[in-house]
Amino acid sequence: MKGIAISFLCMLMGALPLCGQPLQCFENATFFAGIDRENGTLELLKNRKTGWDIIPAAAGASFDMTVRRPDGSTAGIGGNSQEKPECTIYPDSIVFRWANLKMNNSRQNTGITFTATVRCDDCAGLVFSGNVVNNGEYRIETLNWPIIGGISLPDTGDKLLFRYLSYTALKTIELYPRLEGYYTGGCNLPEQAFATIGTDRQGIYISSKDSGMKEYIRLNYEVAPTPAYNESLGLVTGAENHADRALLKYQARVTRHVFVVPGEDYKLVEVVVQPFCGDWQAAADIYKKWRATWFKTPHRPAWVEDVNAWQQLQINSSESRINFKVRDLVSYAGDCKKYGVNAIQLTGWNWGGQDRGMPVNDLDPRLGTTEEFKKAIAECHAMGVNIILFTKFTWIEMTSPWYETFKNYIASDIDGEYCMAGGYRYNTYTQLTSFNNRRFGVLCFLDDDCRALLCKEFKKCLDLGAAGMVYDENQHHAGTHLCYNPHHGHKVAGYIFRGDDLLGREFYEMTRKYSPEFIMTGEGPYDIQGQYYATYTRATVDHTPLMRYIDSDLPIVCAVTDHFDKNRINMCLMNKYIMSYEPRNFKGRLGEFPRIMEYGGKVDDLRRKYKDQLWDVVFNSTFGAEVSGEDIIYSVLNSKSNGKRAVVVLNKNTETAKEATIDLGNIPRERLMMVSPEHPDPMPFENKVVIEPQGVIVIIER
């Protein structure tokens, strides 16, 4: 029964008074939870399907706040030290109200009221929300709610992992039995989609239901000592079988950076806590179900939707290393035509070269005239090679002639200092010694005037007649999340990632008005940005492709830089990535690594020949097949038209052939065929096959 509390009072309809029982319990098919009615603590949490007591009895924690006084000093407010809150029970939720919160030490009345709601949703798990009314003189800066305290280990013989989305891949941090002592870390929500704490068999899913980037949440894990842990130190048996590590305290805090000023009534975004069974895919499925309620796929040109390949090409560096002029661009397009490459990502074309002069998009006059550039772009397009312009809007580069125009829009820290990024070291002695890195100021996109200037710079790309852009580094702000500048038209402090969403929407609307087939691509953008941008990434062969699992249709372009890195090519086949050829770290011509161009062409030919099985597909991770073997990795692609499977299996070993055992269930052998880039015509298949070093085979269900 959906979200029904175990207490008999919760069988009634409407709001009910609190009974004398200490815990209010909720359950659905997945979990059992208990909330302390005295202080709002999540005291119990259990995975009903596995039996994991995630939070054992009386191991949880309530909320806490940090407030800033008018004199600039800070103070804490702890939920466990407050008087008993008002508590109202509904059939699927419990609501707490703490009026006139008191500071921890002085017990001074702050005039702050916190109303907290915990709702049990059959689909979404436990949903934590509420609002804060500030009728005092202090600014509320952070609110930790919920606090998931005292997380137990599902199995002391297994690892406890913290996972989240980072640069299109699944990022994994070991919490147990990691040996570095006690520590803390975390990820950012909603920026990094969701996080999990658990093993590869079960876990806790944590996410904010905030598709509009309204609230900056830092989800922090904490591994801290306990008295039992301290007593075990130095004992002969203390570290045996990681016994001491099992005595540490594992918990997570949902730290909301709310900045509620005096007189403000602030509504919290909803945060979901949900136990699940399975590996990371099960958590991603929870996220995908919510994502489907708000995500809007942008328009993309037909050539990007079809099998395609790119080249990244640097025309000029930040230290004036000019590789060619714009009039020569057509000859590079000729190379692309020869090798079946559909697009050139042109890097360093704007004033000063790559990573210099940002965010201005004027052509560097040393490369030619604007008219010459437009003419070259048009000629390349006539050849069927699309010109994609490398851009950066996140920064103002400090040596740029336009620094004075943009400096007032640089984000400020709490002390009023500019937020800066360190710049990059490329290919000159001064840069390699960090002397001349062309450092950047972090622009605050919450400022309307700043975005208006950036839209003018973006319009220059559209006016050049380009087919698209790659907005480099659009997924981060060099660690800056908050802007304290009071003159940028936002609350202090403002969550500048909200500005990313505003700018992305404005850019996209401009493409619809001026150049409807223009493709906007970002560098590893976080998922919410996928409503505007495709993705460029640089990934290792054995990364876990979380973003691809979230969105099978998102164009993901992946760099290929080595002269015979067949593994990277095969990984692109396995994950339905577009290949971006980048000889000499995108300074060379395609003919400089002929072997990789030949092999990449065969892979794309295979994708075209079996487009229904290898391109127009749903990426299903490893579900639908069992594949084993040393150095063997694989993925399962399901045809959109009929659901039939293609299993892409690669041997990542660079020197030795490896045997793979492939089990697709009770399917007659005659309904399966095997193909490869070198042998695209169907071959018979048995359940075992030897794969050459850096080789790949595809088993297709007829």
Side-chain angles (χ1 to χ4, degrees):
M1 299 177 67
K2 180 178 180 181
I4 303 299
I6 289 177
S7 168
F8 75 94
L9 289 174
C10 295
M11 302 299 293
L12 304 176
M13 299 299 294
L16 296 171
L18 175 64
C19 74
Q21 295 177 334
L23 294 182
Q24 184 65 25
C25 298
F26 298 101
E27 65 176 331
N28 65 15
T30 303
F31 68 86
F32 177 90
I35 311 295
D36 191 322
R37 295 176 177 178
E38 301 291 324
N39 57 23
T41 297
L42 177 60
E43 289 281 17
L44 295 173
L45 186 62
K46 183 172 183 175
N47 189 324
R48 295 185 64 179
K49 293 186 176 180
T50 67
W52 176 24
D53 280 319
I54 301 167
I55 302 178
S62 186
F63 74 91
D64 61 62
M65 288 182 183
T66 300
V67 299
R68 188 170 295 273
R69 301 184 180 95
D71 64 4
S73 62
T74 59
I77 299 174
N80 289 339
S81 64
Q82 303 300 314
E83 296 178 0
K84 181 179 174 181
E86 298 176 17
C87 181
T88 308
I89 302 169
Y90 297 88
D92 65 347
S93 61
I94 185 168
V95 179
F96 300 92
R97 183 176 183 271
W98 289 269
N100 295 318
L101 291 173
K102 294 178 174 57
M103 291 187 182
N104 289 343
N105 297 325
S106 68
R107 306 300 295 166
Q108 179 182 353
N109 191 330
T110 63
I112 297 170
T113 298
F114 176 36
T115 302
T117 299
V118 185
R119 177 169 55 86
C120 181
D121 186 289
D122 193 45
C123 296
L126 288 175
V127 182
F128 294 80
S129 59
N131 75 293
V132 181
V133 178
N134 188 358
N135 289 322
E137 60 178 343
Y138 311 111
R139 181 175 70 180
I140 307 166
E141 300 207 330
T142 62
L143 166 63
N144 287 302
W145 168 257
I147 300 172
I148 308 170
I151 299 171
S152 69
L153 300 174
D155 181 358
T156 56
D158 204 349
K159 293 182 177 181
L160 186 69
L161 307 172
F162 183 85
R163 290 169 160 172
Y164 56 93
L165 176 65
S166 177
Y167 204 73
T168 75
L170 181 72
K171 175 77 172 179
T172 299
I173 298 171
E174 182 181 302
L175 304 184
Y176 168 89
R178 181 175 164 187
L179 303 178
E180 285 88 335
Y182 42 91
Y183 42 85
T184 185
C187 70
N188 304 308
L189 300 175
E191 173 193 346
Q192 291 171 299
F194 65 91
T196 69
I197 300 174
T199 69
D200 57 4
R201 290 185 293 277
Q202 61 180 316
I204 320 165
Y205 167 93
I206 307 169
S207 182
S208 69
K209 300 178 73 173
D210 180 16
S211 61
M213 307 294 289
K214 299 174 183 176
E215 185 174 288
Y216 168 40
I217 291 175
R218 176 70 179 176
L219 176 61
N220 290 299
Y221 61 77
E222 298 174 355
V223 180
T226 64
Y229 172 80
N230 292 334
E231 291 173 5
S232 74
L233 296 178
L235 297 179
V236 174
T237 59
E240 185 175 340
N241 296 321
H242 309 300
D244 54 347
R245 315 301 300 166
L247 299 175
L248 289 165
K249 183 178 182 180
Y250 300 88
Q251 66 179 19
R253 292 175 178 266
V254 177
T255 303
R256 304 165 181 264
H257 296 76
V258 292
F259 298 97
V260 183
V261 298
E264 183 179 0
D265 185 338
Y266 180 87
K267 182 179 180 181
L268 304 175
V269 302
E270 293 185 332
V271 168
V272 174
V273 177
Q274 182 170 352
F276 65 91
C277 299
D279 204 349
W280 60 268
Q281 298 96 331
D285 288 341
I286 299 171
Y287 177 77
K288 286 164 67 174
K289 188 170 183 178
W290 171 67
R291 181 184 191 264
T293 65
W294 55 265
F295 189 90
K296 296 181 180 179
T297 302
H299 172 78
R300 296 167 184 145
W303 70 268
V304 172
E305 300 284 8
D306 204 350
V307 178
N308 65 97
W310 294 28
Q311 177 188 10
Q312 184 177 186
L313 181 63
Q314 187 192 74
I315 191 171
N316 188 17
S317 77
S318 62
E319 295 289 81
S320 300
R321 181 175 177 173
I322 297 174
N323 294 313
F324 60 94
K325 301 297 183 67
V326 293
R327 62 176 177 269
D328 302 318
L329 183 60
V330 177
S331 70
Y332 286 88
D335 294 347
C336 291
K337 188 75 173 177
K338 174 182 176 181
Y339 289 106
V341 172
N342 307 86
I344 292 174
Q345 179 191 163
L346 189 64
T347 301
W349 61 276
N350 40 357
W351 188 94
Q354 180 185 354
D355 293 345
R356 187 177 174 190
M358 299 92 69
V360 171
N361 284 329
D362 291 341
L363 176 68
D364 192 310
R366 296 171 295 175
L367 305 177
T369 68
T370 300
E371 290 307 313
E372 286 177 320
F373 195 25
K374 288 181 178 179
K375 182 175 181 292
I377 290 172
E379 291 180 10
C380 293
H381 290 180
M383 297 169 62
V385 178
N386 298 278
I387 302 302
I388 311 295
L389 299 177
F390 179 97
T391 63
K392 286 195 179 187
F393 298 95
T394 306
W395 329 107
I396 171 63
E397 191 263 305
M398 302 295 287
T399 68
S400 167
W402 300 275
Y403 176 74
E404 290 298 320
T405 301
F406 284 92
K407 70 176 184 180
N408 290 333
Y409 307 118
I410 298 176
S412 299
D413 64 17
I414 194 169
D415 297 318
E417 300 295 328
Y418 285 155
C419 297
M420 305 299 297
Y424 298 102
R425 296 179 295 171
Y426 286 124
N427 53 21
T428 63
Y429 177 79
T430 50
Q431 281 198 336
L432 293 174
T433 55
S434 300
F435 183 74
N436 193 27
N437 286 20
R438 308 290 178 183
R439 292 168 176 83
F440 318 142
V442 179
L443 293 177
C444 176
F445 295 164
L446 291 171
D447 190 295
D448 294 343
D449 292 336
C450 179
R451 294 200 314 279
L453 286 174
L454 295 177
C455 284
K456 290 181 180 179
E457 295 304 321
F458 176 58
K459 181 64 162 50
K460 295 175 182 178
C461 298
L462 302 177
D463 291 342
L464 286 169
M469 75 166 179
V470 171
Y471 175 178
D472 194 54
E473 296 188 288
N474 70 324
Q475 88 284 13
H476 75 99
H477 298 270
T480 298
H481 282 78
L482 300 167
C483 176
Y484 289 81
N485 192 314
H487 306 298
H488 286 178
H490 56 70
K491 68 183 297 183
V492 177
Y495 179 34
I496 64 174
F497 279 65
R498 168 64 179 160
D500 291 352
D501 192 61
L502 297 173
L503 185 66
R505 187 174 307 150
E506 290 168 359
F507 280 178
Y508 183 66
E509 290 172 354
M510 289 175 66
T511 66
R512 307 309 299 146
K513 179 178 180 180
Y514 298 110
S515 184
E517 296 303 300
F518 191 93
I519 176 73
M520 298 202 305
T521 305
E523 184 196 6
Y526 50 87
D527 181 49
I528 290 175
Q529 291 179 306
Q531 297 179 103
Y532 318 114
Y533 307 102
T535 294
Y536 171 87
T537 189
R538 306 173 79 84
T540 59
V541 64
D542 52 2
H543 78 289
T544 302
L546 175 54
M547 193 63 245
R548 171 53 78 224
Y549 185 76
I550 290 174
D551 192 337
S552 294
D553 296 324
L554 176 71
I556 300 179
V557 185
C558 186
V560 178
T561 59
D562 293 343
H563 279 251
F564 204 47
D565 187 1
K566 291 175 62 179
N567 271 336
R568 199 70 57 92
I569 299 287
N570 295 335
M571 179 264 290
C572 289
L573 174 64
M574 187 174 71
N575 297 330
K576 201 196 138 182
Y577 290 170
I578 300 163
M579 290 174 279
S580 176
Y581 300 106
E582 303 181 4
R584 280 196 286 124
N585 288 313
F586 51 87
K587 301 174 189 67
R589 303 191 78 119
L590 296 180
E592 293 182 30
F593 50 21
R595 291 184 301 174
I596 209 68
M597 295 308 305
E598 179 185 9
Y599 185 71
K602 288 180 179 179
V603 167
D604 276 346
D605 286 343
L606 190 72
R607 291 204 266 205
R608 293 186 184 94
K609 183 179 180 69
Y610 299 101
K611 188 179 178 187
D612 195 49
Q613 293 84 12
L614 296 175
W615 190 259
D616 295 333
V617 295
V618 174
F619 179 83
N620 211 16
S621 185
T622 56
F623 293 127
E626 295 290 336
V627 180
S628 60
E630 183 183 10
D631 292 330
I632 298 296
I633 54 179
Y634 73 102
S635 71
V636 178
L637 310 176
N638 290 79
S639 170
K640 288 183 179 179
S641 64
N642 56 33
K644 292 184 177 180
R645 292 165 291 175
V647 185
V648 184
V649 185
L650 67 90
N651 170 18
K652 67 179 183 179
N653 192 292
T654 59
E655 298 178 351
T656 307
K658 298 291 181 178
E659 182 178 79
T661 301
I662 305 162
D663 182 3
L664 280 79
N666 298 320
I667 296 181
R669 296 294 104 180
E670 61 269 17
R671 286 183 52 193
L672 300 174
M673 64 180 184
M674 181 172 68
V675 298
S676 70
E678 297 90 346
H679 302 284
D681 294 328
M683 298 177 287
F685 166 70
E686 298 299 332
N687 67 332
K688 291 186 178 181
V689 59
V690 175
I691 305 176
E692 293 301 310
Q694 294 197 86
V696 66
I697 58 101
V698 183
I699 309 303
I700 295 176
E701 185 178 3
R702 297 179 190 267

